Amino acid sequence: MDYNVYLLATDPNNPCRDVIHSRDTGLKIRVYCLSEDSFTPSENEIQLYGYANDKLYAFETINIMADDALDVVGAIQWYADYIEFPDMEILPEDPRRSSDIAM
């Protein structure tokens, strides 16, 4: 079984601005800490979300190619392990939006 190798580019001025890179493909995913960063999803990219250590993260692809779409969840799971929260639940939608719906 083949395993992807992921690398992490970090911003020394902002620990919430990580970018996950696949070593073997063109996959790149920008990480946002939603409690600290503003985030406007791009229509042309894939966004997934996850809670870890009481923080909500958004993960957005950068110039996603069709061949890389299947590796997005694996890259996020790798990042969850990296931040020492391997049980991160990966969510398909922003959980904050559902709390804004009026009943």
Side-chain angles (χ1 to χ4, degrees), residues 53-81:
N53 299 321
D54 297 324
K55 286 185 180 179
L56 177 60
Y57 292 86
F59 302 91
E60 183 173 64
T61 58
I62 301 169
N63 299 322
I64 187 73
M65 303 296 289
D67 293 345
D68 296 332
L70 295 175
D71 295 330
V72 172
V73 171
I76 295 171
Q77 288 173 328
W78 173 87
Y79 185 80
D81 285 339

Side-chain angles (χ1 to χ4, degrees), residues 12-45:
N13 298 320
N14 186 347
C16 281
R17 279 298 171 113
D18 292 337
V19 178
I20 304 165
H21 294 260
S22 172
R23 182 189 68 181
D24 302 316
T25 69
L27 179 64
K28 294 179 190 168
I29 301 171
R30 181 165 287 124
V31 180
Y32 297 89
C33 297
L34 296 182
S35 60
E36 300 169 24
D37 287 331
S38 62
F39 174 66
T40 304
S42 170
E43 290 181 16
N44 300 320
E45 300 296 338

